[in-house]
Amino acid sequence: MSGIEITRLERSAFALRQASGCAKSARAVRRILALALVLEGTDRTAAARLCGMDRQTLRDWVHRYNAEGLAGMENRKPTGRPPKLTQEQDRALVALIEAGPQAGTDKVVRWRRTRLRDKLKEEFGISVHERTVGKHLRKLGYRRLSVRPYHPKADPEAQAIFKKSSPTG
C-alpha cells in the first residue's frame, strides 16, 4: 500500500495520462503523471522519484487532487503583498498630479518623487520609499520625462554653419 489514497476515482490512470497532455505547464504534467502511477498501485516513494519530487510533496498533491480535481494540479498565482494605496487613494494621487503643485502651499514648481512621497505621508499617513513612488507612478501610466540639455552659451548660427558644411552620407 502506498500510504496515500486517491478518493476521486472519476478518471482512470489511462485517462489521467491523456489529461496530462492538455495541462498548461510541465509541472502540472508531472503531478498528473505521478497521480496516474499512484492509481496503478506504485508506492509513493517510487512514484515521487519517477516524477522528480519528494514523497511528501506527492502526498500533498494527492490531497489537492482529491479536493479540487485536475484544476488543482496547476500552479496558483501567489497572492503577494497587498498594495499600499487603495483605489480611492490612487484616484486622489492622480488628481493631485494632474492639478500640479500649488505655488503658495507646496513650495515647488513641479512634482518630484520625494515631494510626492511627503504628500502621501501628509495626506494618507503612508510611508513609502521614493523608488516605490516611482514604481507606483509607472503603474498609473506616468513616465519620467527629462528635457534635452541645452548649453547657455550655445551659438545657433555656428550650429547652422556646421550642419551646412558637414558632409552628408
Side-chain angles (χ1 to χ4, degrees):
M1 187 71 184
S2 66
I4 53 174
E5 183 179 350
I6 296 180
T7 57
R8 191 179 281 256
L9 298 173
E10 66 259 9
R11 294 180 191 259
S12 65
F14 180 74
L16 281 174
R17 284 195 174 86
Q18 285 183 322
S20 70
C22 300
K24 295 177 185 175
S25 67
R27 290 179 176 176
V29 170
R30 279 194 356 233
R31 294 166 189 155
I32 295 170
L33 292 175
L35 291 174
L37 288 171
V38 170
L39 267 178
E40 289 177 337
T42 307
D43 69 291
R44 184 173 32 157
T45 306
R49 191 178 315 116
L50 285 170
C51 294
M53 62 181 80
D54 186 55
R55 63 187 195 89
Q56 184 66 31
T57 305
L58 176 59
R59 178 191 156 279
D60 294 341
W61 286 113
V62 168
H63 287 307
R64 193 148 138 193
Y65 175 73
N66 287 336
E68 300 175 30
L70 282 179
M73 297 296 99
E74 293 292 339
N75 286 341
R76 293 182 180 148
K77 184 175 180 179
T79 56
R81 179 180 290 180
K84 290 218 174 198
L85 295 178
T86 64
Q87 289 182 348
E88 180 182 311
Q89 292 168 338
D90 274 346
R91 288 191 291 274
L93 179 63
V94 168
L96 178 74
I97 293 169
E98 295 294 329
Q102 303 300 319
T105 58
D106 293 322
K107 300 176 186 166
V108 293
V109 293
R110 65 178 172 183
W111 290 122
R112 295 181 188 268
R113 293 182 305 181
T114 55
R115 186 64 187 123
L116 285 172
R117 176 198 60 200
D118 297 342
K119 273 300 233 189
L120 288 172
K121 180 73 172 171
E122 291 170 18
E123 302 267 329
F124 307 118
I126 298 171
S127 296
V128 292
H129 193 273
E130 68 179 88
R131 273 188 246 142
T132 306
V133 173
K135 289 177 185 178
H136 197 70
L137 291 174
R138 209 168 311 115
K139 185 186 87 172
L140 291 172
Y142 291 99
R143 297 289 178 257
R144 181 175 178 266
L145 299 176
S146 63
V147 295
R148 186 178 175 107
Y150 178 77
H151 196 279
K153 294 182 181 177
D155 184 9
E157 290 178 23
Q159 290 174 356
I161 292 170
F162 179 78
K163 286 180 187 175
K164 289 180 182 176
S165 65
S166 295
T168 57

